[in-house]
Amino acid sequence: MIKTIIIEDEPAIRKEIEWLVNKEDDLELTGTAGTVFGAIDVIRKQNPDLVLMDIQLTDGTAFDVLHGLDSISFQVIFITAYNHYAIKAIKVGALDYLLKPLDEKELQNALTKVRGQYFDQAVQQQQISVTNSRLKKEELGLEDQIVLHTMEYLQVLQLKEIIYLKSEGSYTYFVLTDNRKIMVSKPLKHYQDLLPEKWFLRPHQSFLLNITCIDRYVKTGYIILKDKTQIPVSVRKKELVVQKLTESESSQ
């Protein structure tokens, strides 16, 4: 049985989550709380395997709960009302989350991952650190990190390590400064929304690139990177490329 705790400060929503959890045969609900203090207390007492936790609590946040614990020896699924900024932070850390009001199918999908994935405490600590760092900043910089969720592992990268991203259908390849290539099962658009527009440019539907890695733009329609890779520029993106490179030059 997966020992489960619910942290949610709205009683009606907490009851709804309890009902959904109790429908799962392999989940054992062992406690609930609605405050930071209460959450820390019940987690310490119950030693759960899984915590379903609202990000915004009456007296603080889910991260206040996590910081109040000596260690995190459980998996976390965050629950949040729609907040683009918070969701972007969670995605950067590659953590699981559910939107309010909870959808039963989405919860089941998240639970399937909980049941099937290898749980590495050190990696989750890193994911939470990346997420929390993102929440505290207005925008990402090249020194910041992103967590990539591949089929076999979670990879933590600094944005400055990324040369470019290439779309392959519903997959994306990250090409890095140390010549590694990492494949993730998310479309390029997912990362275009996450990575800072100031530093990343999409000159073609199949490519997203780090503008600091550009060597030159050839006006016939392609970009040459510092590693000699040629990236095509679509006709409708030529003006954007020139504008972006001009802005980049003036800001240096």
Side-chain angles (χ1 to χ4, degrees), residues 8-146:
E8 168 60 60
D9 63 348
E10 297 182 50
I13 295 176
R14 187 163 65 243
K15 285 292 183 185
E16 177 190 3
I17 302 170
E18 287 178 25
W19 178 72
L20 291 172
V21 166
N22 286 326
K23 290 179 70 175
E24 302 294 323
D25 292 338
D26 60 346
L27 265 58
E28 178 188 5
L29 182 60
T30 59
T32 65
T35 64
V36 170
F37 178 80
I40 293 171
D41 184 56
V42 73
I43 289 170
R44 284 175 174 164
K45 287 178 178 176
Q46 297 297 331
N47 191 27
D49 303 306
L50 171 66
V51 176
L52 300 168
M53 182 154 51
D54 189 7
I55 290 180
Q56 191 64 52
L57 301 170
T58 305
D59 57 344
T61 71
F63 295 97
D64 295 324
V65 175
L66 298 174
H67 289 152
L69 298 168
D70 297 328
S71 63
I72 302 170
S73 57
F74 49 84
Q75 296 192 61
V76 182
I77 298 175
F78 291 101
I79 301 167
T80 181
Y82 182 78
N83 179 310
H84 180 70
Y85 190 57
I87 291 171
K88 196 168 182 178
I90 294 169
K91 286 181 177 179
V92 165
L95 290 160
D96 277 329
Y97 72 97
L98 298 169
L99 288 176
K100 296 179 183 180
L102 260 61
D103 179 88
E104 185 171 359
K105 182 172 283 189
E106 289 181 2
L107 174 61
Q108 289 173 348
N109 288 340
L111 292 174
T112 297
K113 286 192 279 185
V114 167
R115 294 174 181 120
Q117 74 182 32
Y118 171 69
F119 178 51
D120 187 319
Q121 292 183 33
V123 170
Q124 181 163 266
Q125 291 274 14
Q126 182 71 57
Q127 288 177 272
I128 288 167
S129 174
V130 169
T131 302
N132 199 25
S133 175
R134 174 70 183 91
L135 281 168
K136 291 178 178 179
K137 299 183 68 173
E138 290 189 8
E139 65 177 58
L140 284 169
L142 288 176
E143 299 298 324
D144 287 303
Q145 295 175 315
I146 186 171

Side-chain angles (χ1 to χ4, degrees), residues 112-227:
T112 297
K113 286 192 279 185
V114 167
R115 294 174 181 120
Q117 74 182 32
Y118 171 69
F119 178 51
D120 187 319
Q121 292 183 33
V123 170
Q124 181 163 266
Q125 291 274 14
Q126 182 71 57
Q127 288 177 272
I128 288 167
S129 174
V130 169
T131 302
N132 199 25
S133 175
R134 174 70 183 91
L135 281 168
K136 291 178 178 179
K137 299 183 68 173
E138 290 189 8
E139 65 177 58
L140 284 169
L142 288 176
E143 299 298 324
D144 287 303
Q145 295 175 315
I146 186 171
V147 180
L148 304 183
H149 205 157
T150 78
M151 298 294 234
E152 296 85 21
Y153 55 87
L154 290 173
Q155 175 71 54
V156 182
L157 291 178
Q158 282 192 310
L159 301 193
K160 66 181 181 181
E161 295 181 78
I162 302 167
I163 299 176
Y164 67 91
L165 292 73
K166 184 179 180 182
S167 173
E168 293 282 353
S170 60
Y171 293 86
T172 298
Y173 282 89
F174 281 71
V175 179
L176 307 179
T177 52
D178 61 2
N179 297 318
R180 282 182 298 159
K181 291 184 179 180
I182 298 175
M183 185 187 76
V184 291
S185 56
K186 290 187 183 296
L188 188 61
K189 179 66 165 62
H190 176 86
Y191 294 103
Q192 183 182 7
D193 292 341
L194 283 186
L195 295 171
E197 199 174 314
K198 178 179 179 181
W199 298 110
F200 286 86
L201 169 67
R202 191 171 183 178
H204 185 277
Q205 64 178 3
S206 297
F207 292 90
L208 181 66
L209 56 89
N210 181 342
I211 63 173
T212 67
C213 295
I214 294 175
D215 181 65
R216 61 189 181 275
Y217 167 56
V218 180
K219 294 180 181 178
T220 52
Y222 59 95
I223 289 169
I224 299 177
L225 302 180
K226 291 174 182 176
D227 69 354

